[in-house]
Amino acid sequence: MMDPESGLSQIQEVKKKESWRQVLILAYQSLGVVYGDLSTSPLYVYKSAFAEDIQHSETNEEIFGVLSFVFWTLTIVPLLKYVFIVLRADDNGEGGTFALYTLLCRHARVNSLPNCQLADEDLSEYKKDGVVIPSESTIGSRLKSILEKYRVLQKLLLVLALIGTCMVIGDGVLTPAISVFSAVSGLELSMSHEHHKYVEVPVACIILIGLFALQHFGTHRVGFLFAPIVVTWLFCISAIGLYNIIHWNPHVYQALSPYYMYKFLKKTQTGGWMSLGGILLCITGSEAMFADLGHFSQSSIKIAFTFLVYPSLILAYMGQAAYLSKHHVMATSYQIGFYVSVPEKLRWPVLGIAILAAVVGSQAIITGTFSIIKQCQALGCFPRVKIVHTSSKIHGQIYIPEINWTLMILCLAVTIGFRDTKRMGNASGLAVITVMLVTTCLMSLVIVICWRKSVFVALAFVFFFGAFEALYFSASLIKFLEGAWVPVALSLIFMAIMYIWHYGTLKKYEFDVQNKVSINWLLSLGPSLGIVRVRGMGLIHTELVSGIPAIFSHFVTNLPAFHQVLVFLCVKSVPVPHVKPEERFLVGHIGPKEYRLYRCIVRYGYRDFHKDDFEFENDLVCSVAEFIRGEGNKMNGLKDESDKDSDEKMTVVGSPSTHVDGIRMHEDMDEDNEDLPGTSELKEIRSPLTTPTPKKRVRFLLPETPKMEDKSREELQDLMEAREAGIAYILGHAHVRAKAGSSWVKKLVINVGYDFLRRNCRAPSYPLSVPHASTLEVGMICHI
């Protein structure tokens, strides 16, 4: 199996040097993951638009007006806005609402993460393309200063990003429901209405359950499985559309003129405006182009949309309009939909392809939901959930079981509760257009602050795209009681969860900072820390990047012994997509060397693979050993960093895979024993009173370097002996409570909301596989 970190480095190099062959392969794969939702929109757009607000008449002004709106909406939003502008605002290759937010965080220092350091700003991906700080006289610089100065604006920016994120999650519930339900609705043309209503919902539910059950196989397998289905579907709808244009109305192309939009609104007035909520569904799935950018590349997504998806959709909508322009008397209301324009002999094959394509369409938004929740979790805005990396070769492809089954339950509830595309369309439309409005607002800030363009360019962007989207937003919002309340309700629930978690985490960190123990207190205890130092290594987990956590003083005052080597371990996220392996660890001494106290800060980007258990332990120990060797040899290859908030000097040390000539750790067992214990046994701390069999031996393999100082060699020997004796994780278990005298709102948020989330979320990922014998929990009550 490939090392995820080395695999990530290879992928990043490939993205920089893309060949046409690689681009085309990625473009093909993107069809199965990104464009499924967008390509299935012809199933329900006309049906939703003509649901009740407007009627199809002999003059064809309505159908041609809807076609004109569909054409220009597809041209302006997915093609012009996303393909040509928004995709360029990637965060080192990553996309989505939170990618825009983190891009702004780094350029304006409005980061929501509490434990950031100045050293983080020296990460190679922190400033994209070597951004130079703009002149103080520019409007962008003044806007940046205002954002940095006022905390309320920083909170508003975070809330805006969370609103967009919550609507994406809401869309993850609604899109599978409407896509599958609309595809299955083709059965209504082949059976009576009485029978159809008993078949449609159960079939849709069975398909949805199967879709969510497939998610654990991963994006890579799903992408290659689903891409042929989307290609077949696009060929099918474009061929049928072309047939209908030629056979029924070759002059339908005239309806692409914007003049038909004017005629449509002039005739239909209020009804036409309200029908925009249905027309809006033609761009559902456009946000997936940006949200799933990290799985593919800009070039591949642009090529797939511009040369295949866009022309196929235009032909499909034109073909439907051409057919309907010659058929005005409908036997039943549902015949305004997609299947009525399909030649009768092809309806059953098309129905089968449509159902498969609808499953693919749902995949796009589910994938995007997993990605954006992982970003939120890494940035401290979502409770910890289990994240499964489904590919050892392709980075960023993940599966989140808790979210997957939650989406499935909510999706089934929407399908069973609504049972018609009209209300599902109203709900989905509001979610889609809200995400797009949030993207427009954040993009305007990116244009000024990150791209350093004129404020007039940003205003032009907002007024052009914002006004267009606001028109659709108003039409969707008016349908609040007719289904549009669902994404609002879901967003409020997820918003409450995210903000409560973020607020509680921030307050908990502030408590830790205020109650941390000074290093002077520690140094006053002497090299033995005033207690007995026993063999072994203690990893004290803390969120602090400087100072001594209160749990340590609480521990040493209650127990008479501690390990011979102590490492204060902080695993934190930084607002970049990836941290290069050579910049992963920050290591430093706490106090004099003979104290054998170290601080190790492990930095991950919000898209990075988190190593855990045995592999993580080895990387950590090797990095501390590399730090000791570097100090002993005064190597120039390691870079020193200093934080203004601390007198500790930290050194950047890469993970072992980045040091070709670095220290390697070798573990073996006594030769007398042939049966090797499992990984978990190796990590247990054995009591000196019981002789373990077999005994583990740990050796550091040192490269040939200039002679090392005796003190450094002795320090390495102590580290080796400690690792051989075993590693213990010391975890703080805090019971968080609101301070006495706090408002009832704060007590409700902290004592009920945050406490419930902490009790039911997952523990930090790295100690999950550590045996209970190697874990110590130190309980504390935190009044915040």
Side-chain angles (χ1 to χ4, degrees):
M1 182 179 291
M2 180 184 291
D3 181 8
E5 297 212 331
S6 60
L8 171 58
S9 300
Q10 293 175 14
I11 290 167
Q12 289 174 333
E13 289 300 317
V14 166
K15 283 191 174 184
K16 291 176 183 176
K17 301 176 181 179
E18 288 179 323
S19 67
W20 278 108
R21 181 176 178 274
Q22 290 165 336
V23 169
L24 292 176
I25 290 173
L26 285 174
Y28 171 76
Q29 272 193 275
S30 72
L31 291 169
V33 177
V34 177
Y35 292 112
D37 186 13
L38 192 59
S39 66
T40 53
S41 56
L43 286 170
Y44 44 80
V45 169
Y46 282 117
K47 188 174 181 179
S48 298
F50 286 90
E52 60 181 13
D53 301 310
I54 55 177
Q55 300 295 323
H56 184 32
S57 67
E58 296 283 347
T59 62
N60 287 327
E61 288 182 351
E62 293 86 359
I63 192 66
F64 288 161
V66 170
L67 174 61
S68 186
F69 264 104
V70 167
F71 172 74
W72 287 105
T73 304
L74 277 171
T75 303
I76 290 172
V77 178
L79 186 63
L80 188 58
K81 177 185 170 183
Y82 280 94
V83 170
F84 289 109
I85 301 175
V86 175
L87 285 180
R88 293 178 56 229
D90 65 298
D91 184 8
N92 291 285
E94 303 296 334
T97 306
F98 253 84
L100 291 176
Y101 175 70
T102 54
L103 204 57
L104 290 168
C105 284
R106 299 205 305 276
H107 285 78
R109 289 188 182 176
V110 293
N111 190 16
S112 60
L113 292 169
N115 54 359
C116 286
Q117 301 167 277
L118 289 176
D120 297 338
E121 297 184 14
D122 290 327
L123 291 168
S124 55
E125 288 197 6
Y126 198 89
K127 293 292 185 183
K128 186 185 176 188
D129 299 329
V131 170
V132 180
I133 298 175
S135 169
E136 293 296 324
S137 60
T138 63
I139 294 177
S141 177
R142 289 200 291 270
L143 181 60
K144 172 177 171 290
S145 300
I146 291 171
L147 277 174
E148 292 175 349
K149 183 177 180 181
Y150 296 103
R151 296 272 302 175
V152 65
L153 293 179
Q154 297 176 22
K155 290 181 179 179
L156 284 175
L157 189 64
L158 175 62
V159 167
L160 186 65
L162 291 180
I163 289 172
T165 301
C166 292
M167 283 295 180
V168 169
I169 298 171
D171 200 23
V173 172
L174 297 164
T175 293
I178 190 172
S179 296
V180 173
F181 194 86
S182 299
V184 173
S185 67
L187 294 170
E188 62 195 353
L189 293 175
S190 58
M191 61 179 66
S192 66
H193 183 67
E194 288 75 18
H195 292 133
H196 170 256
K197 65 182 181 181
Y198 294 113
V199 172
E200 192 175 37
V201 173
V203 170
C205 289
I206 291 170
I207 293 171
L208 287 170
I209 292 171
L211 168 67
F212 284 100
L214 276 176
Q215 294 305 310
H216 73 278
F217 288 110
T219 307
H220 177 58
R221 296 173 187 174
V222 166
F224 269 108
L225 176 67
F226 283 177
I229 296 173
V230 176
V231 172
T232 305
W233 170 251
L234 289 173
F235 172 77
C236 179
I237 62 174
S238 57
I240 292 171
L242 193 60
Y243 166 80
N244 284 330
I245 292 169
I246 296 171
H247 188 264
W248 296 109
N249 190 349
H251 301 289
V252 73
Y253 68 88
Q254 296 174 354
L256 302 183
S257 168
Y259 174 67
Y260 281 86
M261 291 193 292
Y262 167 74
K263 288 179 66 178
F264 171 76
L265 291 176
K266 183 180 178 181
K267 179 180 179 181
T268 57
Q269 297 182 354
T270 304
W273 167 64
M274 293 177 69
S275 72
L276 293 179
I279 297 171
L280 160 68
L281 297 176
C282 72
I283 54 172
T284 182
S286 299
E287 186 71 23
M289 286 194 288
F290 189 44
D292 291 336
L293 181 59
H295 292 224
F296 304 99
S297 67
Q298 284 189 37
S299 303
S300 61
I301 288 178
K302 289 178 179 179
I303 288 171
F305 180 79
T306 308
F307 295 103
L308 184 59
V309 179
Y310 178 73
S312 298
L313 288 175
I314 298 301
L315 283 174
Y317 286 115
M318 288 177 66
Q320 282 184 262
Y323 177 88
L324 293 171
S325 68
K326 300 298 182 181
H327 297 79
H328 302 96
V329 180
M330 299 295 172
T332 53
S333 60
Y334 61 71
Q335 286 191 320
I336 199 77
F338 169 77
Y339 289 102
V340 73
S341 65
V342 178
E344 192 169 347
K345 292 181 180 179
L346 297 176
R347 280 180 186 166
W348 279 105
V350 170
L351 174 64
I353 298 170
I355 291 174
L356 292 174
V359 171
V360 177
S362 306
Q363 179 62 41
I365 193 64
I366 294 170
T367 302
T369 303
F370 289 160
S371 297
I372 206 163
I373 284 180
K374 182 179 185 296
Q375 293 178 29
C376 292
Q377 177 180 315
L379 296 171
C381 294
F382 201 86
R384 289 183 294 269
V385 290
K386 181 181 181 180
I387 296 175
V388 179
H389 290 262
T390 56
S391 174
S392 61
K393 296 181 180 179
I394 300 179
H395 180 80
Q397 299 192 352
I398 59 173
Y399 163 68
I400 306 177
E402 293 98 325
I403 300 302
N404 184 63
W405 302 123
T406 301
L407 290 179
M408 187 191 78
I409 292 168
L410 292 173
C411 191
L412 292 174
V414 168
T415 305
I416 296 169
F418 281 163
R419 302 187 179 200
D420 68 83
T421 54
K422 185 187 80 171
R423 287 184 291 175
M424 289 184 194
N426 293 338
S428 181
L430 183 61
V432 167
I433 201 63
T434 304
V435 175
M436 291 181 177
L437 276 171
V438 169
T439 300
T440 300
C441 295
L442 293 176
M443 267 302 301
S444 62
L445 293 175
V446 168
I447 289 170
V448 176
I449 295 175
C450 305
W451 292 355
R452 307 187 305 283
K453 301 292 184 184
S454 167
V455 70
F456 296 107
V457 175
L459 289 175
F461 180 87
V462 168
F463 281 120
F464 180 73
F465 293 108
F468 193 76
E469 290 162 356
L471 178 66
Y472 281 113
F473 180 77
S474 63
S476 296
L477 201 58
I478 204 72
K479 302 289 184 68
F480 184 82
L481 296 177
E482 298 172 39
W485 59 270
V486 172
V488 176
L490 290 175
S491 296
L492 287 175
I493 293 170
F494 280 104
M495 183 82 174
I497 292 172
M498 289 181 177
Y499 203 81
I500 287 172
W501 181 262
H502 175 71
Y503 177 78
T505 302
L506 196 63
K507 290 297 179 184
K508 169 68 168 56
Y509 183 79
E510 290 175 359
F511 174 87
D512 290 342
V513 171
Q514 292 167 3
N515 291 272
K516 68 181 180 181
V517 180
S518 69
I519 295 177
N520 292 331
W521 169 82
L522 189 68
L523 300 182
S524 66
L525 300 177
S528 66
L529 302 183
I531 54 179
V532 178
R533 301 290 290 269
V534 298
R535 292 183 73 238
M537 177 183 291
L539 294 184
I540 304 169
H541 172 252
T542 174
E543 299 294 330
L544 298 176
V545 293
S546 62
I548 307 300
I551 61 166
F552 179 72
S553 62
H554 183 69
F555 191 90
V556 297
T557 53
N558 286 277
L559 289 178
F562 217 86
H563 303 85
Q564 68 186 97
V565 174
L566 294 179
V567 179
F568 291 91
L569 174 65
C570 174
V571 180
K572 70 171 191 174
S573 294
V574 289
V576 295
H578 307 288
V579 175
K580 291 184 177 180
E582 56 266 28
E583 300 173 324
R584 175 79 65 214
F585 293 90
L586 275 175
V587 186
H589 278 115
I590 299 179
K593 291 183 180 181
E594 56 268 21
Y595 280 56
R596 302 298 188 256
L597 298 180
Y598 305 92
R599 184 181 308 284
C600 184
I601 299 171
V602 190
R603 302 180 291 185
Y604 288 101
Y606 58 78
R607 288 275 196 173
D608 274 333
F609 177 87
H610 283 230
K611 291 186 176 182
D612 58 7
D613 58 89
F614 194 59
E615 189 178 5
F616 176 81
E617 289 179 1
N618 287 345
D619 281 3
L620 177 67
V621 174
C622 283
S623 297
V624 175
E626 194 67 39
F627 163 73
I628 295 170
R629 181 177 76 98
E631 278 206 327
N633 293 331
K634 306 297 181 186
M635 293 172 62
N636 296 323
L638 300 179
K639 182 171 61 177
D640 288 338
E641 306 286 356
S642 294
D643 197 319
K644 288 183 179 179
D645 298 330
S646 172
D647 293 331
E648 300 173 32
K649 187 169 68 173
M650 307 294 289
T651 302
V652 176
V653 183
S655 58
S657 60
T658 64
H659 297 293
V660 179
D661 59 346
I663 289 179
R664 293 288 183 268
M665 188 169 69
H666 179 70
E667 296 183 345
D668 53 17
M669 316 304 295
D670 283 349
E671 294 181 359
D672 297 337
N673 295 282
E674 295 180 2
D675 298 327
L676 298 180
T679 303
S680 61
E681 291 178 287
L682 295 183
K683 289 187 289 187
E684 290 185 13
I685 294 181
R686 305 285 186 174
S687 170
L689 300 177
T690 59
T691 305
T693 306
K695 186 177 180 181
K696 182 179 65 177
R697 300 291 185 186
V698 176
R699 292 178 293 153
F700 286 132
L701 306 178
L702 300 179
E704 293 187 13
T705 55
K707 187 176 180 180
M708 192 180 299
E709 293 180 359
D710 291 339
K711 287 186 177 180
S712 296
R713 191 170 292 276
E714 182 183 342
E715 195 174 353
L716 274 176
Q717 180 68 30
D718 288 346
L719 181 66
M720 183 179 67
E721 291 176 359
R723 176 66 182 91
E724 185 175 288
I727 294 180
Y729 281 84
I730 293 87
L731 308 174
H733 190 78
H735 298 275
V736 181
R737 290 291 179 267
K739 290 179 182 178
S742 299
S743 66
W744 67 270
V745 176
K746 184 176 180 180
K747 287 180 180 178
L748 181 66
V749 168
I750 299 298
N751 296 351
V752 180
Y754 184 65
D755 184 65
F756 174 81
L757 293 175
R758 275 179 63 88
R759 288 176 184 273
N760 291 278
C761 74
R762 289 183 176 262
S765 59
Y766 41 90
L768 280 178
S769 302
V770 178
H772 293 295
S774 299
T775 305
L776 295 171
E777 288 194 2
V778 182
M780 287 188 67
I781 297 178
C782 303
H783 294 283
I784 60 178

